[in-house]
Every structure is written in C-alpha cells, then in structure tokens.
Amino acid sequence: MSVLEKFRGCLLGLAIGDALGAPVEFEQLTGIRARFGRAGITDLVPWHSLPAGSYTDDTQMALATVRGMLAAHERGRTKGIVHGPSMVYRAYLDWLATQDDPTQRRAPGNTCLSALRSGKMGTLDAPLNYSKGCGGVMRTAPVGLAFRGTEAFRQGVEYAVITHGHPSGYLSAGFMAELIGHLVDGTSLDDGLDQSSETLRIYAGYEDTLEKITQARVLAGNRTDLETAIREIGEGWVGDEALGVAIFCALRFPDDYRAAVIAGANHDGDVDSTASMAGAILGTMLGAEAIPAEWIAKIENRQEIESLAARMHEIWG
Ligand SMILES: [Mg+2]
C-alpha cells in the first residue's frame, strides 16, 4: 500500500471515527442502545442539526495541528530555523477564533479553551495547568506523519503541553504521535507499541500512561469481551484512558476499520475521541482503502482533508 494511502487513512480515519461518535458523545451505552439498537451506533447520522459526517473539536484541532506543522515547514524553508510548537500554538489560536461561530462550536473541551484564552503557551518547563484531559492526545496522531521515533514523541508532547500540563495529558499525545509514525513505516502494531513504550519510559510521570497501554494489550490478548474490557480501561475523558481504549479497539479489530471505530464509539465515555483515535490508528495501518467509501463520501470537508493529506505527503511522504 502506498504511503499516500496511509496519510489519507490517518486524516480521514480520525475525522470519520470522530463523526461516528459525535452524535452520542454525552450518552451512556444503555442510552445509545435505546436509540440505535443492540449494536449501538454503527453509521454516520446527523447530530445537533448538522448533517451526517459532521465532526467535532477533535478533528478541528487535529487539522489545526496539521496546519501548524505545514506552516512551520513553510517558514523553515523560507526563513531558516523555526520553532515548530510555536507555529502549532498559532494554529490552535486560529482554531480558538473559529469558536465564536456557533456552527463551528462542536463541544470543545474546557481545558483547551481556557488554556488558549490565557494568552500563554504551555510548555514542559512552564505548564499552564495540571490537566490530564484527552484534549492533547486526540489531536496529535498526524504528528506521526511528519516526524518519526523519539522526535515524533517529543513533538507530540510539546503540542499537547500547550494546553495540558499533566504527564498523562501530554505523554499520551507523544505516544500516539510516535505510534502513528511506526505504522506509516509499516511496523506492526505490536512492535510499534513496544517501541513507543520504550520512548515513553524516558519521560517522568510515564507510569499511568504505560499502565493503560499494558492493560489494553492484556485485555485485547485474553479475549475479554468488548464491553467489559473498555469499561475496565476507563471512559477515556483523560488522556491515558483514551489512548488505552483506542489501542484496545485497534488490537481487537486490526483488520477492520469499521469494527474498530464502532467499538470506540459505543461505550459510556468520550466516544468521539476514542473512535477518532482508533480511526487514526486503523486508517494509518490499513490505508484509506480500508475505510468504507460511503463514509469517506459523507465526511465534512472531505476535499480539505484530502488536500492536507496530499500536502503532508508531498513534504514528508
Ligand atoms: Mg469532541
């Protein structure tokens, strides 16, 4: 499979997973089943008067990460040395400005809003808060398309700590970035998890994140049923749990994008984020051709997502 298919798979995969979970983000599994039947939500449907395929803040911010990285690349090419995280921070501020438009407000996370409104950019040396919400990890999968290995991890950490100051908030993001890079290179999911875990252990405060990754791997391996396994890992409102749920879904359905995002979208927690992250992993692993064509046809801003993937591929593919 071509590298371009993996880039498309990552961006379309995360957006479509997000759009699948969006209509049920704040519902419990029992409520989801009451609305959609025993199998839960299994297709893109309209929500909040938005058409089917509309995504949430997760995808908006992941695309902002992409725009920030592209801007950093462009500036580096024309002006020499550039500080990547500062360019990504600017892209997040551009996203913040869109949140004044009610049609663009898609249940944004409070930590992201308040951190970006503070006028300061959080860094590892000067974090703005002690939040471990999943608002960091939900937006860093595309970092693995531009960087590899420990550098992908570090960039992911720096982009997440802009808004989230707890290690579980930013290390989960670094992990996601490095994992995606391994999958682009054709490394197996298990080996990618092993290698990203090695990097994770270098950082202070890694323990909770590693515990969730390990738990996801054990539960995926021992055939624990889907519902019980995800409940044990957690609801995913915090970064380490969201990462754990997404990894579990990918390991349980490594050949089936649709099944993995449906698993990520049907539980008691932050389902748009976990489905989005599972979608990024599977989309990168299997390529965009593994994503149902009728879903790709329906996703919001498809042309823009495709052109961002193509642009990233021109530079980093
Ligand atoms: Mg969301």
Side-chain angles (χ1 to χ4, degrees):
M1 179 208 323
S2 75
V3 173
L4 177 59
E5 279 304 289
K6 288 171 174 275
F7 277 51
R8 291 180 66 232
C10 180
L11 299 192
L12 289 166
L14 73 86
I16 290 168
D18 181 12
L20 179 72
V24 293
E25 180 178 4
F26 299 105
E27 284 183 51
Q28 300 287 298
L29 185 56
T30 48
I32 298 173
R33 285 180 171 155
R35 262 176 83 189
F36 296 99
R38 176 75 200 166
I41 190 164
T42 60
D43 202 0
L44 303 179
V45 298
W47 58 284
H48 286 198
S49 73
L50 295 163
S54 301
Y55 51 65
T56 79
D57 60 322
D58 299 55
T59 301
Q60 290 176 337
M61 293 199 78
L63 298 180
T65 304
V66 171
R67 289 190 202 96
M69 291 189 295
L70 288 171
H73 170 82
E74 198 52 36
R75 201 177 164 94
R77 208 170 56 78
T78 55
K79 300 217 161 101
I81 297 290
V82 61
H83 185 238
S86 299
M87 299 301 288
V88 171
Y89 172 54
R90 281 196 207 182
Y92 293 158
L93 292 179
D94 290 343
W95 167 81
L96 179 67
T98 69
Q99 297 303 291
D100 295 334
D101 174 355
T103 68
Q104 290 303 310
R105 278 185 80 93
R106 308 283 175 85
N110 283 327
T111 303
C112 288
L113 292 174
S114 60
L116 294 172
R117 282 179 185 145
S118 74
K120 291 191 214 113
M121 173 180 161
T123 63
L124 279 179
D125 291 335
L128 294 180
N129 54 42
Y130 204 53
S131 171
K132 56 176 170 180
C134 72
V137 64
M138 74 180 193
R139 64 180 192 244
T140 52
V143 179
L145 306 181
F147 299 93
R148 289 297 187 282
T150 57
E151 182 60 13
F153 200 111
R154 191 178 70 83
Q155 295 287 334
V157 163
E158 292 201 29
Y159 303 168
V161 80
I162 290 171
T163 56
H164 286 70
H166 188 288
S168 294
Y170 58 73
L171 296 181
S172 53
F175 189 96
M176 176 59 101
E178 178 170 342
L179 177 63
I180 292 292
H182 289 306
L183 299 176
V184 171
D185 290 340
T187 305
S188 72
L189 181 53
D190 265 321
D191 287 349
L193 290 169
D194 285 342
Q195 291 176 40
S196 307
S197 297
E198 289 286 300
T199 309
L200 174 61
R201 284 193 193 89
I202 296 168
Y203 286 83
Y206 72 86
E207 291 84 354
D208 290 354
T209 302
L210 185 62
E211 188 187 315
K212 286 295 156 192
I213 294 159
T214 306
Q215 187 183 17
R217 299 180 79 173
V218 169
L219 289 166
N222 72 12
R223 309 308 303 164
T224 302
D225 76 89
L226 203 60
E227 205 178 315
T228 307
I230 293 178
R231 189 165 292 132
E232 278 187 30
I233 298 167
E235 297 191 346
W237 300 104
V238 293
D240 51 10
E241 289 181 10
L243 179 66
V245 171
I247 289 170
F248 170 82
C249 294
L251 285 168
R252 180 56 59 88
F253 301 107
D255 304 314
D256 190 339
Y257 173 89
R258 186 197 294 261
V261 293
I262 288 173
N266 287 280
H267 57 86
D268 288 337
D270 191 357
V271 292
D272 59 327
S273 300
T274 54
S276 177
M277 291 162 56
I281 295 171
L282 268 286
T284 309
M285 232 160 65
L286 306 176
E289 63 215 37
I291 302 174
E294 72 271 18
W295 285 358
I296 293 180
K298 275 190 198 147
I299 192 65
E300 178 179 7
N301 286 332
R302 178 192 173 176
Q303 289 313 318
E304 190 192 2
I305 295 170
E306 295 270 14
S307 74
L308 287 171
R311 183 70 187 126
M312 289 194 86
H313 179 258
E314 275 170 31
I315 299 169
W316 293 295

Short mmCIF file of all heavy atoms in Angstrom, two decimals, residues 187-247:
data_model
loop_
_atom_site.label_atom_id
_atom_site.label_comp_id
_atom_site.label_asym_id
_atom_site.label_seq_id
_atom_site.Cartn_x
_atom_site.Cartn_y
_atom_site.Cartn_z
N THR A 187 5.72 -0.81 10.30
CA THR A 187 5.97 -1.60 11.51
C THR A 187 4.65 -2.19 11.99
O THR A 187 3.60 -1.56 11.86
CB THR A 187 6.55 -0.67 12.60
OG1 THR A 187 7.71 -0.02 12.07
CG2 THR A 187 6.95 -1.43 13.85
N SER A 188 4.68 -3.39 12.55
CA SER A 188 3.44 -4.00 13.05
C SER A 188 2.95 -3.21 14.26
O SER A 188 3.72 -2.51 14.93
CB SER A 188 3.68 -5.45 13.47
OG SER A 188 4.45 -5.49 14.66
N LEU A 189 1.64 -3.33 14.54
CA LEU A 189 1.06 -2.61 15.67
C LEU A 189 1.77 -3.01 16.97
O LEU A 189 2.12 -2.15 17.78
CB LEU A 189 -0.45 -2.90 15.74
CG LEU A 189 -1.24 -2.21 16.85
CD1 LEU A 189 -1.03 -0.70 16.86
CD2 LEU A 189 -2.74 -2.52 16.68
N ASP A 190 2.01 -4.32 17.16
CA ASP A 190 2.67 -4.76 18.40
C ASP A 190 4.07 -4.17 18.53
O ASP A 190 4.45 -3.70 19.61
CB ASP A 190 2.74 -6.30 18.44
CG ASP A 190 1.56 -6.86 19.21
OD1 ASP A 190 1.18 -6.25 20.24
OD2 ASP A 190 1.01 -7.90 18.79
N ASP A 191 4.83 -4.20 17.45
CA ASP A 191 6.19 -3.65 17.52
C ASP A 191 6.15 -2.13 17.71
O ASP A 191 6.97 -1.56 18.43
CB ASP A 191 6.98 -3.99 16.24
CG ASP A 191 7.37 -5.46 16.21
OD1 ASP A 191 7.22 -6.14 17.24
OD2 ASP A 191 7.83 -5.93 15.15
N GLY A 192 5.19 -1.47 17.06
CA GLY A 192 5.04 -0.03 17.24
C GLY A 192 4.71 0.31 18.69
O GLY A 192 5.22 1.30 19.24
N LEU A 193 3.86 -0.50 19.30
CA LEU A 193 3.52 -0.28 20.72
C LEU A 193 4.74 -0.50 21.60
O LEU A 193 5.00 0.27 22.53
CB LEU A 193 2.38 -1.22 21.13
CG LEU A 193 1.01 -0.91 20.53
CD1 LEU A 193 0.02 -2.06 20.78
CD2 LEU A 193 0.43 0.40 21.09
N ASP A 194 5.52 -1.54 21.29
CA ASP A 194 6.74 -1.81 22.08
C ASP A 194 7.71 -0.64 21.98
O ASP A 194 8.26 -0.17 22.97
CB ASP A 194 7.44 -3.08 21.57
CG ASP A 194 6.73 -4.35 22.00
OD1 ASP A 194 5.92 -4.28 22.94
OD2 ASP A 194 6.99 -5.40 21.37
N GLN A 195 7.95 -0.19 20.75
CA GLN A 195 8.97 0.85 20.55
C GLN A 195 8.52 2.19 21.13
O GLN A 195 9.32 2.89 21.76
CB GLN A 195 9.28 0.99 19.06
CG GLN A 195 10.02 -0.25 18.53
CD GLN A 195 10.26 -0.19 17.02
OE1 GLN A 195 10.59 0.85 16.48
NE2 GLN A 195 10.10 -1.32 16.35
N SER A 196 7.25 2.52 20.99
CA SER A 196 6.76 3.77 21.56
C SER A 196 6.77 3.70 23.09
O SER A 196 6.99 4.71 23.77
CB SER A 196 5.34 4.07 21.06
OG SER A 196 5.30 4.02 19.64
N SER A 197 6.56 2.51 23.64
CA SER A 197 6.60 2.35 25.10
C SER A 197 8.02 2.56 25.63
O SER A 197 8.20 3.06 26.75
CB SER A 197 6.12 0.94 25.51
OG SER A 197 4.76 0.77 25.15
N GLU A 198 9.02 2.15 24.83
CA GLU A 198 10.41 2.41 25.23
C GLU A 198 10.65 3.91 25.39
O GLU A 198 11.28 4.36 26.34
CB GLU A 198 11.37 1.89 24.15
CG GLU A 198 11.46 0.39 24.05
CD GLU A 198 12.25 -0.18 25.21
OE1 GLU A 198 13.43 0.18 25.35
OE2 GLU A 198 11.65 -0.96 25.99
N THR A 199 10.17 4.69 24.42
CA THR A 199 10.34 6.14 24.50
C THR A 199 9.57 6.70 25.68
O THR A 199 10.08 7.55 26.43
CB THR A 199 9.85 6.82 23.20
OG1 THR A 199 10.45 6.16 22.09
CG2 THR A 199 10.20 8.30 23.19
N LEU A 200 8.35 6.21 25.87
CA LEU A 200 7.51 6.69 26.98
C LEU A 200 8.24 6.61 28.31
O LEU A 200 8.17 7.53 29.13
CB LEU A 200 6.22 5.86 27.01
CG LEU A 200 5.25 6.08 28.18
CD1 LEU A 200 4.73 7.52 28.20
CD2 LEU A 200 4.08 5.08 28.09
N ARG A 201 8.98 5.52 28.51
CA ARG A 201 9.65 5.30 29.80
C ARG A 201 10.75 6.32 30.08
O ARG A 201 11.22 6.43 31.21
CB ARG A 201 10.26 3.89 29.84
CG ARG A 201 9.24 2.79 30.05
CD ARG A 201 9.93 1.47 30.40
NE ARG A 201 8.99 0.37 30.31
CZ ARG A 201 8.74 -0.33 29.19
NH1 ARG A 201 9.40 -0.05 28.09
NH2 ARG A 201 7.86 -1.29 29.20
N ILE A 202 11.18 7.05 29.06
CA ILE A 202 12.23 8.06 29.26
C ILE A 202 11.69 9.26 30.04
O ILE A 202 12.41 9.95 30.74
CB ILE A 202 12.78 8.54 27.89
CG1 ILE A 202 13.45 7.38 27.15
CG2 ILE A 202 13.76 9.70 28.06
CD1 ILE A 202 13.77 7.70 25.69
N TYR A 203 10.39 9.50 29.92
CA TYR A 203 9.79 10.73 30.47
C TYR A 203 9.30 10.53 31.90
O TYR A 203 8.74 9.48 32.24
CB TYR A 203 8.58 11.15 29.61
CG TYR A 203 8.95 11.74 28.28
CD1 TYR A 203 9.24 10.92 27.20
CD2 TYR A 203 9.00 13.12 28.09
CE1 TYR A 203 9.57 11.46 25.95
CE2 TYR A 203 9.32 13.66 26.85
CZ TYR A 203 9.60 12.82 25.79
OH TYR A 203 9.93 13.36 24.57
N ALA A 204 9.50 11.53 32.74
CA ALA A 204 8.97 11.50 34.11
C ALA A 204 7.45 11.44 34.07
O ALA A 204 6.83 12.08 33.22
CB ALA A 204 9.43 12.74 34.86
N GLY A 205 6.90 10.68 34.98
CA GLY A 205 5.44 10.61 35.10
C GLY A 205 4.79 9.69 34.08
O GLY A 205 3.59 9.81 33.79
N TYR A 206 5.56 8.72 33.56
CA TYR A 206 5.06 7.84 32.49
C TYR A 206 4.16 6.72 32.99
O TYR A 206 3.46 6.08 32.20
CB TYR A 206 6.24 7.21 31.74
CG TYR A 206 6.97 6.15 32.53
CD1 TYR A 206 6.54 4.83 32.52
CD2 TYR A 206 8.09 6.45 33.32
CE1 TYR A 206 7.19 3.85 33.27
CE2 TYR A 206 8.73 5.49 34.07
CZ TYR A 206 8.28 4.19 34.04
OH TYR A 206 8.91 3.23 34.79
N GLU A 207 4.17 6.46 34.31
CA GLU A 207 3.63 5.19 34.82
C GLU A 207 2.15 4.97 34.47
O GLU A 207 1.77 3.88 34.04
CB GLU A 207 3.82 5.11 36.34
CG GLU A 207 5.28 4.97 36.79
CD GLU A 207 6.02 6.30 36.88
OE1 GLU A 207 5.46 7.36 36.50
OE2 GLU A 207 7.18 6.29 37.34
N ASP A 208 1.30 5.99 34.69
CA ASP A 208 -0.14 5.78 34.46
C ASP A 208 -0.43 5.50 32.98
O ASP A 208 -1.28 4.68 32.65
CB ASP A 208 -0.94 7.02 34.90
CG ASP A 208 -0.95 7.18 36.41
OD1 ASP A 208 -0.44 6.28 37.11
OD2 ASP A 208 -1.45 8.22 36.89
N THR A 209 0.27 6.21 32.11
CA THR A 209 0.05 6.01 30.68
C THR A 209 0.49 4.61 30.27
O THR A 209 -0.24 3.90 29.56
CB THR A 209 0.79 7.09 29.87
OG1 THR A 209 0.32 8.38 30.29
CG2 THR A 209 0.55 6.95 28.38
N LEU A 210 1.65 4.19 30.74
CA LEU A 210 2.13 2.84 30.41
C LEU A 210 1.18 1.78 30.95
O LEU A 210 0.91 0.77 30.29
CB LEU A 210 3.55 2.62 30.96
CG LEU A 210 4.17 1.28 30.56
CD1 LEU A 210 4.34 1.17 29.04
CD2 LEU A 210 5.52 1.07 31.25
N GLU A 211 0.63 2.04 32.14
CA GLU A 211 -0.29 1.07 32.74
C GLU A 211 -1.53 0.88 31.86
O GLU A 211 -2.01 -0.24 31.66
CB GLU A 211 -0.70 1.55 34.13
CG GLU A 211 -1.50 0.54 34.92
CD GLU A 211 -2.03 1.12 36.23
OE1 GLU A 211 -1.25 1.81 36.93
OE2 GLU A 211 -3.22 0.90 36.52
N LYS A 212 -2.06 1.98 31.31
CA LYS A 212 -3.26 1.87 30.45
C LYS A 212 -2.94 1.15 29.13
O LYS A 212 -3.76 0.37 28.63
CB LYS A 212 -3.83 3.26 30.16
CG LYS A 212 -4.56 3.87 31.35
CD LYS A 212 -5.80 3.05 31.70
CE LYS A 212 -6.20 3.25 33.15
NZ LYS A 212 -7.21 2.27 33.60
N ILE A 213 -1.76 1.41 28.60
CA ILE A 213 -1.35 0.72 27.35
C ILE A 213 -1.22 -0.78 27.61
O ILE A 213 -1.71 -1.61 26.84
CB ILE A 213 -0.02 1.32 26.84
CG1 ILE A 213 -0.23 2.77 26.41
CG2 ILE A 213 0.54 0.48 25.69
CD1 ILE A 213 1.04 3.60 26.37
N THR A 214 -0.56 -1.10 28.71
CA THR A 214 -0.35 -2.51 29.06
C THR A 214 -1.68 -3.20 29.31
O THR A 214 -1.92 -4.32 28.84
CB THR A 214 0.55 -2.60 30.31
OG1 THR A 214 1.75 -1.86 30.06
CG2 THR A 214 0.88 -4.04 30.64
N GLN A 215 -2.56 -2.51 30.03
CA GLN A 215 -3.88 -3.08 30.32
C GLN A 215 -4.65 -3.35 29.01
O GLN A 215 -5.27 -4.41 28.86
CB GLN A 215 -4.66 -2.09 31.20
CG GLN A 215 -5.97 -2.63 31.72
CD GLN A 215 -6.73 -1.57 32.54
OE1 GLN A 215 -6.44 -0.37 32.47
NE2 GLN A 215 -7.68 -2.04 33.33
N ALA A 216 -4.59 -2.40 28.09
CA ALA A 216 -5.28 -2.57 26.80
C ALA A 216 -4.73 -3.79 26.07
O ALA A 216 -5.49 -4.57 25.47
CB ALA A 216 -5.10 -1.32 25.94
N ARG A 217 -3.43 -3.98 26.11
CA ARG A 217 -2.80 -5.10 25.40
C ARG A 217 -3.19 -6.44 26.04
O ARG A 217 -3.45 -7.42 25.33
CB ARG A 217 -1.28 -4.92 25.36
CG ARG A 217 -0.88 -3.64 24.63
CD ARG A 217 0.61 -3.43 24.59
NE ARG A 217 1.21 -4.26 23.54
CZ ARG A 217 2.49 -4.18 23.19
NH1 ARG A 217 3.31 -3.35 23.81
NH2 ARG A 217 2.97 -4.95 22.23
N VAL A 218 -3.23 -6.47 27.36
CA VAL A 218 -3.61 -7.70 28.06
C VAL A 218 -5.06 -8.04 27.75
O VAL A 218 -5.39 -9.17 27.39
CB VAL A 218 -3.39 -7.55 29.59
CG1 VAL A 218 -4.02 -8.72 30.35
CG2 VAL A 218 -1.90 -7.44 29.90
N LEU A 219 -5.94 -7.05 27.85
CA LEU A 219 -7.38 -7.30 27.63
C LEU A 219 -7.65 -7.70 26.18
O LEU A 219 -8.51 -8.54 25.91
CB LEU A 219 -8.19 -6.05 28.00
CG LEU A 219 -8.28 -5.75 29.50
CD1 LEU A 219 -8.80 -4.34 29.73
CD2 LEU A 219 -9.17 -6.76 30.22
N ALA A 220 -6.92 -7.11 25.24
CA ALA A 220 -7.11 -7.48 23.83
C ALA A 220 -6.63 -8.90 23.58
O ALA A 220 -7.21 -9.63 22.78
CB ALA A 220 -6.37 -6.50 22.93
N GLY A 221 -5.57 -9.29 24.32
CA GLY A 221 -5.00 -10.62 24.10
C GLY A 221 -5.77 -11.73 24.77
O GLY A 221 -5.78 -12.87 24.30
N ASN A 222 -6.44 -11.43 25.89
CA ASN A 222 -7.06 -12.55 26.64
C ASN A 222 -8.54 -12.73 26.32
O ASN A 222 -9.24 -13.43 27.05
CB ASN A 222 -6.80 -12.39 28.15
CG ASN A 222 -7.61 -11.26 28.78
OD1 ASN A 222 -8.54 -10.72 28.17
ND2 ASN A 222 -7.28 -10.92 30.01
N ARG A 223 -9.01 -12.10 25.26
CA ARG A 223 -10.37 -12.31 24.76
C ARG A 223 -11.46 -11.81 25.70
O ARG A 223 -12.60 -12.25 25.62
CB ARG A 223 -10.63 -13.79 24.41
CG ARG A 223 -9.61 -14.43 23.51
CD ARG A 223 -9.33 -13.66 22.24
NE ARG A 223 -10.53 -13.44 21.41
CZ ARG A 223 -10.61 -12.55 20.43
NH1 ARG A 223 -9.57 -11.75 20.19
NH2 ARG A 223 -11.68 -12.43 19.72
N THR A 224 -11.13 -10.94 26.63
CA THR A 224 -12.17 -10.30 27.43
C THR A 224 -13.17 -9.64 26.49
O THR A 224 -12.78 -9.06 25.48
CB THR A 224 -11.55 -9.21 28.34
OG1 THR A 224 -10.56 -9.82 29.16
CG2 THR A 224 -12.60 -8.56 29.23
N ASP A 225 -14.47 -9.76 26.79
CA ASP A 225 -15.45 -9.20 25.86
C ASP A 225 -15.32 -7.67 25.81
O ASP A 225 -14.85 -7.03 26.75
CB ASP A 225 -16.88 -9.64 26.22
CG ASP A 225 -17.41 -8.89 27.41
OD1 ASP A 225 -18.01 -7.82 27.24
OD2 ASP A 225 -17.19 -9.36 28.55
N LEU A 226 -15.75 -7.16 24.66
CA LEU A 226 -15.55 -5.75 24.32
C LEU A 226 -16.03 -4.79 25.41
O LEU A 226 -15.32 -3.90 25.85
CB LEU A 226 -16.37 -5.52 23.03
CG LEU A 226 -16.02 -4.38 22.12
CD1 LEU A 226 -14.61 -4.55 21.61
CD2 LEU A 226 -17.00 -4.38 20.93
N GLU A 227 -17.26 -5.00 25.83
CA GLU A 227 -17.89 -4.08 26.77
C GLU A 227 -17.14 -4.06 28.10
O GLU A 227 -16.84 -3.00 28.65
CB GLU A 227 -19.33 -4.54 26.98
CG GLU A 227 -20.27 -3.45 27.39
CD GLU A 227 -21.70 -4.01 27.52
OE1 GLU A 227 -22.14 -4.75 26.62
OE2 GLU A 227 -22.34 -3.69 28.53
N THR A 228 -16.83 -5.25 28.62
CA THR A 228 -16.12 -5.36 29.89
C THR A 228 -14.73 -4.75 29.78
O THR A 228 -14.28 -4.02 30.67
CB THR A 228 -15.99 -6.84 30.30
OG1 THR A 228 -17.28 -7.43 30.26
CG2 THR A 228 -15.39 -6.99 31.68
N ALA A 229 -14.05 -5.05 28.68
CA ALA A 229 -12.67 -4.58 28.52
C ALA A 229 -12.62 -3.06 28.51
O ALA A 229 -11.81 -2.45 29.22
CB ALA A 229 -12.09 -5.14 27.21
N ILE A 230 -13.48 -2.43 27.73
CA ILE A 230 -13.43 -0.97 27.64
C ILE A 230 -13.82 -0.36 28.98
O ILE A 230 -13.22 0.61 29.43
CB ILE A 230 -14.33 -0.46 26.48
CG1 ILE A 230 -13.71 -0.90 25.14
CG2 ILE A 230 -14.49 1.06 26.54
CD1 ILE A 230 -14.50 -0.51 23.92
N ARG A 231 -14.78 -0.97 29.66
CA ARG A 231 -15.17 -0.45 30.98
C ARG A 231 -13.99 -0.52 31.95
O ARG A 231 -13.77 0.38 32.75
CB ARG A 231 -16.37 -1.23 31.52
CG ARG A 231 -16.95 -0.61 32.77
CD ARG A 231 -18.34 -1.15 33.10
NE ARG A 231 -19.34 -0.72 32.14
CZ ARG A 231 -20.23 -1.54 31.56
NH1 ARG A 231 -20.21 -2.84 31.84
NH2 ARG A 231 -21.10 -1.08 30.71
N GLU A 232 -13.20 -1.59 31.86
CA GLU A 232 -12.04 -1.73 32.76
C GLU A 232 -10.97 -0.69 32.45
O GLU A 232 -10.32 -0.17 33.35
CB GLU A 232 -11.45 -3.14 32.65
CG GLU A 232 -12.21 -4.14 33.49
CD GLU A 232 -11.53 -5.51 33.55
OE1 GLU A 232 -10.29 -5.58 33.45
OE2 GLU A 232 -12.27 -6.50 33.69
N ILE A 233 -10.76 -0.40 31.18
CA ILE A 233 -9.72 0.58 30.82
C ILE A 233 -10.14 1.98 31.27
O ILE A 233 -9.34 2.74 31.80
CB ILE A 233 -9.44 0.56 29.30
CG1 ILE A 233 -8.92 -0.81 28.88
CG2 ILE A 233 -8.43 1.64 28.92
CD1 ILE A 233 -8.92 -1.03 27.37
N GLY A 234 -11.40 2.31 31.05
CA GLY A 234 -11.90 3.61 31.52
C GLY A 234 -12.76 4.29 30.47
O GLY A 234 -12.94 3.77 29.37
N GLU A 235 -13.26 5.45 30.80
CA GLU A 235 -14.20 6.14 29.91
C GLU A 235 -13.49 6.99 28.86
O GLU A 235 -14.10 7.41 27.88
CB GLU A 235 -15.19 6.97 30.74
CG GLU A 235 -16.04 6.08 31.63
CD GLU A 235 -17.20 6.81 32.28
OE1 GLU A 235 -17.21 8.06 32.27
OE2 GLU A 235 -18.10 6.11 32.79
N GLY A 236 -12.25 7.30 29.11
CA GLY A 236 -11.49 8.00 28.07
C GLY A 236 -11.57 9.51 28.13
O GLY A 236 -11.12 10.18 27.20
N TRP A 237 -12.11 10.07 29.20
CA TRP A 237 -12.11 11.53 29.29
C TRP A 237 -10.71 12.06 29.56
O TRP A 237 -10.40 13.21 29.26
CB TRP A 237 -13.07 12.01 30.38
CG TRP A 237 -14.49 11.59 30.12
CD1 TRP A 237 -15.17 10.58 30.76
CD2 TRP A 237 -15.40 12.13 29.15
NE1 TRP A 237 -16.43 10.47 30.23
CE2 TRP A 237 -16.61 11.41 29.26
CE3 TRP A 237 -15.31 13.15 28.21
CZ2 TRP A 237 -17.72 11.67 28.44
CZ3 TRP A 237 -16.41 13.43 27.40
CH2 TRP A 237 -17.60 12.69 27.53
N VAL A 238 -9.85 11.19 30.15
CA VAL A 238 -8.45 11.59 30.37
C VAL A 238 -7.56 10.90 29.34
O VAL A 238 -7.91 9.88 28.76
CB VAL A 238 -7.99 11.27 31.81
CG1 VAL A 238 -8.74 12.15 32.80
CG2 VAL A 238 -8.15 9.81 32.16
N GLY A 239 -6.39 11.51 29.13
CA GLY A 239 -5.54 11.12 28.01
C GLY A 239 -5.10 9.66 28.04
O GLY A 239 -5.16 8.96 27.03
N ASP A 240 -4.63 9.19 29.21
CA ASP A 240 -4.11 7.82 29.24
C ASP A 240 -5.22 6.80 28.98
O ASP A 240 -5.02 5.82 28.26
CB ASP A 240 -3.36 7.54 30.55
CG ASP A 240 -4.13 7.90 31.81
OD1 ASP A 240 -5.34 8.21 31.71
OD2 ASP A 240 -3.53 7.89 32.89
N GLU A 241 -6.41 7.07 29.50
CA GLU A 241 -7.53 6.14 29.27
C GLU A 241 -7.99 6.16 27.81
O GLU A 241 -8.28 5.12 27.22
CB GLU A 241 -8.73 6.50 30.16
CG GLU A 241 -8.51 6.20 31.63
CD GLU A 241 -9.75 6.56 32.45
OE1 GLU A 241 -10.80 6.87 31.86
OE2 GLU A 241 -9.64 6.54 33.68
N ALA A 242 -8.08 7.35 27.24
CA ALA A 242 -8.50 7.45 25.83
C ALA A 242 -7.52 6.68 24.94
O ALA A 242 -7.94 5.94 24.03
CB ALA A 242 -8.58 8.91 25.40
N LEU A 243 -6.23 6.85 25.22
CA LEU A 243 -5.21 6.12 24.45
C LEU A 243 -5.39 4.62 24.64
O LEU A 243 -5.35 3.85 23.67
CB LEU A 243 -3.82 6.56 24.92
CG LEU A 243 -2.63 5.89 24.24
CD1 LEU A 243 -2.56 6.27 22.76
CD2 LEU A 243 -1.32 6.27 24.94
N GLY A 244 -5.62 4.19 25.88
CA GLY A 244 -5.81 2.77 26.16
C GLY A 244 -7.01 2.20 25.41
O GLY A 244 -6.92 1.13 24.80
N VAL A 245 -8.13 2.90 25.42
CA VAL A 245 -9.33 2.41 24.74
C VAL A 245 -9.07 2.33 23.23
O VAL A 245 -9.43 1.34 22.58
CB VAL A 245 -10.55 3.32 25.03
CG1 VAL A 245 -11.73 2.94 24.14
CG2 VAL A 245 -10.94 3.24 26.51
N ALA A 246 -8.43 3.35 22.67
CA ALA A 246 -8.17 3.34 21.22
C ALA A 246 -7.24 2.19 20.84
O ALA A 246 -7.47 1.51 19.82
CB ALA A 246 -7.55 4.68 20.80
N ILE A 247 -6.21 1.97 21.64
CA ILE A 247 -5.29 0.87 21.36
C ILE A 247 -6.01 -0.47 21.47
O ILE A 247 -5.84 -1.37 20.63
CB ILE A 247 -4.06 0.93 22.30
CG1 ILE A 247 -3.18 2.12 21.92
CG2 ILE A 247 -3.27 -0.37 22.28
CD1 ILE A 247 -2.08 2.42 22.94
#
